[in-house]
Amino acid sequence: MKYKIFSLIIVLVITGSFCFAQTSKVEIKEDFKPSVLNQPGKEYPMVNSQGYARFRIEAPEAQSVVVSLGLGGTRGGTPLTKNEDGVWMGTTAGPMDEGFHYYHVTIDGGVFNDPGALNYYGSVRWESGIEIPAHDQDFYALKNVPHGHVQQVIFPSPSTETSRRAFVYTPPGYDKNQSERYPVLYLQHGWGEDETAWMNQGRANLIMDNLIAEGKIDPFIIVNTYGMTNEIKFGGLRNFDITPFQTVLVDELIPYVDEHFHTIPDQAHRAMAGLSMGGMETKDITLNKPEVFSHYALLSGGVYAPEDLKDHANLKLVFISCGSKERPDGVKNAVVALKDAGYNAVSYVSEGTAHEFQTWRRSLYQLAPLLFKE
């Protein structure tokens, strides 16, 4: 037995060394360009065609500078090296997953944002953002097509004794025909994020604009609001109480949207979806309030079992997705079980991505054409 264990260790060490050696031989192409999410006029950070990212930080008195890439990034971050001019530079050890990533810079133990990059709210703070070019980025690109509007609304919330904020996407042509009514998708962000995430990081409005322009979907409204997720510390999700947010969403926001926008105010034309913790919220609320929504979507946010949905008579669609680097078998198996039980269920796996926004952008792109089909 000892010999077998020792042999296994030798094989693992050799295999690991071989893999590292193979990776280290990859030649990094020097075709770096500024990230599309840079501050105006800033050259760094940069990305290349292989998915590597390169950083430049001016901190001449610093002793240590490390870039910490967000979900999908290099484990342990990217240590930078100071040159003779006191400028710290470095390139990721390997290519990043395609799409959007959060990151920050740790300088001598202090956490800062990269002054060259735009900021996005994630990890319960405004983080720097970088965009790794994707092979399929056309579906969320800014194009010369008719565009909808994204507007901020402030709605009263008696249950929380304050006013709360939501962002509402209305499709192109919404204002031209006052008599036309639209279905609504209530789309939730993940832990550490807020109501800005889906339109900023997720580019949900551009995904919708492009799908509508291509005739792939019938127009509908999207509503994003803060899911009251960040009061609970990461790792303590089992203690999260859905009741306060459920009250805000069902009893306060939905009536406000139905009153102030041209909606079709019934269950058949109302959907709820969420990414990560927003998926957990979606599952809880749709199970607690089956009379409110008819389309459910969990994006890297768990699964439904057939017994969960036994009293959901008017359920039209269940959509479950994740990245291929997450738990795709669990998603696929859950949907097979739902289909076998007679539900209209669809699974989607984003190839080559993990728990990150490229997974969720692609998921929305796949979900949208399935919604509100008569």
Side-chain angles (χ1 to χ4, degrees), residues 71 124 187-194 198 225-243 245 272-285 297-302 326 355-357 360:
L71 298 173
V124 200
L187 184 61
Q188 289 305 122
H189 59 84
W191 181 87
E193 298 166 341
D194 66 7
W198 266 109
T225 196
Y226 174 53
M228 302 168 68
T229 53
N230 302 341
E231 286 73 14
I232 189 118
K233 291 185 178 180
F234 188 75
L237 300 186
R238 67 182 62 185
N239 301 318
F240 181 72
D241 180 9
I242 194 62
T243 306
F245 177 59
M272 186 173 182
L275 68 87
S276 192
M277 189 173 178
M280 185 187 81
E281 292 184 313
T282 296
K283 182 177 179 180
D284 286 347
I285 292 174
L298 310 180
L299 319 181
S300 305
E326 297 187 87
H355 202 75
E356 54 202 4
F357 252 105
W360 307 321

Side-chain angles (χ1 to χ4, degrees), residues 181 184 186 253-261 263-265 270:
R181 299 283 165 172
V184 185
Y186 289 84
L253 179 57
I254 290 177
Y256 179 91
V257 170
D258 285 342
E259 180 181 353
H260 292 85
F261 291 87
T263 69
I264 305 173
R270 199 178 290 131

Side-chain angles (χ1 to χ4, degrees), residues 16 47 58 61 86 130 171 180 198 200 202-203 215 233 304 344 357:
V47 296
E58 296 183 20
E61 302 301 320
I130 191 169
E180 187 168 358
W198 266 109
N200 288 346
R203 301 192 182 181
K233 291 185 178 180
Y304 292 99
N344 179 26
F357 252 105

Side-chain angles (χ1 to χ4, degrees), residues 195-326:
E195 63 272 26
T196 63
W198 266 109
M199 297 301 166
N200 288 346
Q201 294 94 295
R203 301 192 182 181
N205 57 317
L206 298 182
I207 293 172
M208 289 292 293
D209 291 343
N210 293 337
L211 284 170
I212 293 169
E214 294 167 8
K216 293 182 177 179
I217 63 170
D218 293 325
F220 57 84
I221 293 168
I222 295 180
V223 178
N224 310 130
T225 196
Y226 174 53
M228 302 168 68
T229 53
N230 302 341
E231 286 73 14
I232 189 118
K233 291 185 178 180
F234 188 75
L237 300 186
R238 67 182 62 185
N239 301 318
F240 181 72
D241 180 9
I242 194 62
T243 306
F245 177 59
Q246 180 175 287
T247 300
V248 168
L249 178 68
V250 175
D251 298 337
E252 297 169 350
L253 179 57
I254 290 177
Y256 179 91
V257 170
D258 285 342
E259 180 181 353
H260 292 85
F261 291 87
H262 309 319
T263 69
I264 305 173
D266 60 25
Q267 178 202 26
H269 296 91
R270 199 178 290 131
M272 186 173 182
L275 68 87
S276 192
M277 189 173 178
M280 185 187 81
E281 292 184 313
T282 296
K283 182 177 179 180
D284 286 347
I285 292 174
T286 54
L287 295 185
N288 293 341
K289 296 285 186 177
E291 73 281 5
V292 178
F293 302 98
S294 59
H295 300 70
Y296 310 164
L298 310 180
L299 319 181
S300 305
V303 299
Y304 292 99
E307 54 268 27
D308 295 332
L309 306 175
K310 59 184 179 181
D311 297 324
H312 295 234
N314 298 316
L315 178 57
K316 294 188 174 183
L317 173 71
V318 177
F319 179 92
I320 306 176
S321 72
C322 71
S324 65
K325 297 182 180 181
E326 297 187 87

Side-chain angles (χ1 to χ4, degrees), residues 54-127:
R54 180 169 290 170
F55 304 91
R56 182 183 188 276
I57 302 294
E58 296 183 20
E61 302 301 320
Q63 301 301 308
S64 172
V65 178
V66 178
V67 171
S68 176
L69 296 173
L71 298 173
T74 305
R75 291 186 181 275
T78 302
L80 307 189
T81 301
K82 184 165 66 173
N83 64 21
E84 59 186 15
D85 298 321
V87 174
W88 295 78
M89 296 193 66
T91 304
T92 54
M96 300 285 294
D97 288 353
E98 296 178 339
F100 174 88
H101 297 280
Y102 300 108
Y103 75 97
H104 55 260
V105 183
T106 301
I107 302 177
D108 293 345
V111 177
F112 305 91
N113 284 359
D114 185 338
L118 295 173
N119 298 329
Y120 298 83
Y121 196 79
S123 304
V124 200
R125 67 184 298 271
W126 288 98
E127 291 267 81

